[in-house]
């Protein structure tokens, strides 16, 4: 029998997470995939995550449960235009967010996740480097605002996080009679991030919730995809945790691509049926692997 390992991102539905051998954010799942002793890796997430797993563990068969589970940061990026953009900054280091295609990664010097992006870019600037950042415009804009980097930015956004807005938050805050807190993923727009009590990765937000020790009746608004609310409420059922609204009265912001990972699709993938990540050439994988491994080596040294 083949050894099958199932990975699921925090943004998948609770019933999918319950089917997984490992649930995590992009960095955690990349590390797990690289070291997994598996014949088949079922990646309940989106395509770029499955591609990353294949790049890091090329001997495994990597299966994506649904062929349509992509990401707007990928679909909004034309790789030929990205290559020309990169070439227009020949003296800059190209740092790319992990939410990108294998072809995109192959044009990068470093890959980052939302957990390590601050540390890696600070490290590069401390070395005297100049940086261009892609593909997430909101994340790059927040880094420029926070640190004064003035990095040239690519223009793609996450269609889920980009829906959060200051007006809806202002209205939700005004209607709240208790203490209120906002935690946000850096893929959110800058006006939202400026309001946040904490900005961080999916795991970072989950850890913030786990360690919350302030007002017991506080309202905690979370500006990210709704899948992580399951994990937050499981960890802290005593807290009032709500997804941040995207317009007045609406708390209903899900990633349609993550939710393509249904129970039936994951079961089929575990049986060896689904979208096999078999279209990347050895040269493509080698080119994309180098900036990913650079990130993982950095993370091993800094987060051990």
């Amino acid at each position: 029998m083949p050894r099958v390992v199932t990975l699921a991102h925090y943004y998948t539905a609770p019933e999918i997470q319950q089917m997984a051998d490992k649930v995590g954010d992009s960095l955690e799942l990349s590390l797990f995939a690289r070291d997994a002793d598996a014949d088949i890796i079922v990646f309940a997430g989106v395509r770029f995550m499955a591609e990353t797993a294949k790049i890091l563990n090329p001997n495994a068969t990597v299966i994506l449960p649904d062929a349509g589970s992509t990401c707007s940061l990928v679909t909004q990026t034309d790789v030929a235009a990205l290559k020309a953009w990169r070439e227009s900054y020949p003296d800059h280091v190209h740092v790319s967010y992990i939410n990108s295609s294998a072809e995109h990664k192959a044009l990068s010097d470093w890959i980052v996740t939302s957990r390590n992006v601050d540390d890696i870019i600070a490290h590069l600037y401390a070395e005297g480097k100049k940086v261009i950042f892609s593909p997430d415009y909101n994340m790059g804009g927040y880094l420029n605002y926070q640190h004064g980097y003035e990095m040239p930015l690519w223009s793609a956004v996450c269609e889920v996080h980009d829906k959060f807005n200051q007006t809806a938050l202002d209205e939700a805050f005004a209607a709240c009679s208790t203490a209120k807190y906002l935690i946000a993923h850096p893929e959110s727009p800058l006006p939202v991030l400026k309001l946040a009590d904490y900005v961080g990765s999916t795991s970072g937000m989950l850890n913030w919730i786990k360690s919350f020790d302030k007002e017991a009746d506080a309202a905690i608004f979370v500006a990210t995809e709704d899948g992580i609310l399951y994990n937050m409420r499981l960890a802290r059922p005593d807290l009032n945790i709500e997804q941040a609204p995207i317009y007045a009265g609406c708390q209903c912001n899900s990633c349609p691509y993550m939710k393509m990972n249904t129970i039936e699709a994951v079961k089929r993938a575990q049986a060896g049926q689904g979208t096999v990540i078999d279209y990347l050439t050895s040269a493509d994988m080698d080119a994309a692997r180098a900036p990913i491994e650079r990130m993982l080596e950095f993370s091993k040294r800094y987060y051990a």
Side-chain angles (χ1 to χ4, degrees):
M1 290 289 290
R3 292 163 296 178
V4 180
V5 171
T6 302
L7 311 181
H9 193 272
Y10 283 126
Y11 292 167
T12 55
E15 59 268 24
I16 303 304
Q17 296 185 36
Q18 291 163 10
M19 298 173 70
D21 298 292
K22 173 67 176 179
V23 178
D25 63 12
S26 295
L27 180 59
E28 292 167 335
L29 295 177
S30 295
L31 289 166
F32 196 90
R34 182 189 63 180
D35 300 329
D37 180 19
D39 299 306
I40 296 174
I41 297 175
V42 174
F43 211 122
V46 294
R47 183 180 291 268
F48 76 79
M49 297 179 180
E51 289 180 345
T52 302
K54 180 63 178 180
I55 290 164
L56 292 174
N57 195 337
N59 293 324
T61 297
V62 179
I63 301 178
L64 184 69
D66 192 294
S69 53
T70 183
C71 171
S72 62
L73 288 167
V74 173
T75 59
Q76 293 173 17
T77 299
D78 178 82
V79 174
L82 179 78
K83 185 174 186 292
W85 178 73
R86 181 197 177 175
E87 290 172 350
S88 69
Y89 295 98
D91 58 343
H92 286 58
V93 175
H94 183 199
V95 175
S96 296
Y97 187 32
I98 199 168
N99 294 29
S100 53
S101 67
E103 294 87 352
H104 188 141
K105 290 179 174 71
L107 293 171
S108 309
D109 299 301
W110 283 79
I111 298 301
V112 294
T113 70
S114 53
R115 196 196 314 188
N116 58 32
V117 59
D118 281 274
D119 293 334
I120 287 175
I121 291 182
H123 168 75
L124 292 171
Y125 272 97
E127 289 188 330
K129 307 285 178 57
K130 292 187 289 185
V131 176
I132 57 173
F133 184 79
S134 69
D136 195 294
Y137 181 84
N138 287 336
M139 182 179 292
Y142 180 66
L143 290 163
N144 281 344
Y145 163 77
Q146 193 177 30
H147 303 292
Y149 288 147
E150 299 183 352
M151 294 183 296
L153 307 175
W154 190 250
S155 59
V157 295
C158 167
E159 65 184 65
V160 175
H161 289 91
D162 200 53
K163 290 178 183 177
F164 296 115
N165 66 87
Q166 182 178 356
T167 300
L169 280 165
D170 287 343
E171 293 180 7
F173 288 172
C176 184
S177 60
T178 63
K180 48 195 171 290
Y181 296 88
L182 171 66
I183 61 176
H185 194 281
E187 293 176 23
S188 305
L190 184 57
V192 173
L193 298 175
K194 287 180 178 180
L195 295 174
D197 298 282
Y198 174 79
V199 175
S201 68
T202 314
S203 289
M205 289 186 289
L206 180 57
N207 289 334
W208 189 93
I209 289 289
K210 288 178 179 178
S211 62
F212 184 82
D213 61 356
K214 299 184 171 115
E215 299 89 346
D217 62 345
I220 301 173
F221 295 93
V222 182
T224 195
E225 209 274 349
D226 63 1
I228 191 64
L229 299 182
Y230 162 73
N231 308 85
M232 291 177 171
R233 290 166 177 159
L234 196 64
R236 291 296 302 273
D238 56 311
L239 298 180
N240 176 18
I241 302 167
E242 300 294 341
Q243 189 178 37
I246 56 175
Y247 56 84
C250 180
Q251 295 177 343
C252 48
N253 201 7
S254 294
C255 174
Y257 311 113
M258 286 287 187
K259 298 309 189 274
M260 290 179 176
N261 291 283
T262 63
I263 291 175
E264 294 75 17
V266 173
K267 284 182 177 178
R268 286 195 299 269
Q270 290 172 332
Q273 303 170 30
T275 300
V276 179
I277 308 300
D278 58 0
Y279 49 83
L280 301 175
T281 67
S282 296
D284 289 337
M285 290 195 289
D286 289 344
R289 187 180 301 113
I292 299 171
E293 290 286 6
R294 194 168 287 127
M295 171 193 72
L296 295 177
E297 178 60 29
F298 179 93
S299 298
K300 183 171 70 176
R301 288 186 283 120
Y302 282 78
Y303 306 134

